[in-house]
Amino acid sequence: MTEHEQQLDLTVELARERTRLANRRTFLAWARTALAVMTFGFLLEKVDAFLGTAHVSAQDLRDLQGLGLAGFIVGPLMLLTAGYRHVRLELSLGGNGWSFLLVPELVLFVAVVGAALFISFS
């Protein structure tokens, strides 16, 4: 292999690694956004419970409850979509099965959702 071919291989591998890192950053940004959406939904649920004791119309309470529930539904869907996109791009870059392990993010996701559901329904 000539020096030019080695330089080209190194350039391609570095470009692939930059793409992998950008893919990881994008996934983490989407995970952060999904957690924020779920947190906002949780906040709306708590505000809904607080306003239930005040003199607020039933329609306003239903609207808040609907928005809170949407946050609980949309957040996990965003995270699943981001995870699917991340895995798909990682596989297209030729990654092996361990280079895109998402265990820390999934553990955090399950912990946050579990805590939010526990607090909401207790």
Side-chain angles (χ1 to χ4, degrees):
M1 194 180 257
T2 67
E3 184 178 328
H4 177 66
E5 289 172 338
Q6 287 176 345
Q7 184 69 22
L8 188 59
D9 284 345
L10 179 63
T11 303
V12 168
E13 188 55 39
L14 288 174
R16 195 172 277 152
E17 189 60 31
R18 280 192 305 271
T19 304
R20 277 192 182 103
L21 292 172
N23 187 31
R24 183 73 169 189
R25 284 190 306 269
T26 302
F27 171 73
L28 291 174
W30 275 103
R32 194 172 50 241
T33 303
L35 286 173
V37 167
M38 290 186 312
T39 303
F40 187 67
F42 175 72
L43 173 74
L44 287 177
E45 284 292 324
K46 286 299 179 183
V47 166
D48 178 34
F50 174 72
L51 290 178
T53 61
H55 300 293
V56 179
S57 72
Q59 178 62 38
D60 292 339
L61 289 177
R62 278 194 299 272
D63 291 345
L64 280 178
Q65 186 179 21
L67 285 173
L69 184 61
F72 278 129
I73 293 171
V74 170
L77 289 177
M78 287 172 63
L79 190 62
L80 289 173
T81 303
Y84 172 75
R85 184 202 162 277
H86 174 74
V87 168
R88 191 184 64 191
L89 182 58
E90 188 65 36
L91 288 175
S92 73
L93 290 171
N96 59 18
W98 298 105
S99 66
F100 58 89
L101 193 62
L102 302 175
V103 170
E105 289 85 4
L106 292 176
V107 168
L108 177 65
F109 172 72
V110 169
V112 168
V113 169
L117 290 175
F118 178 76
I119 292 170
S120 290
F121 295 114
S122 64

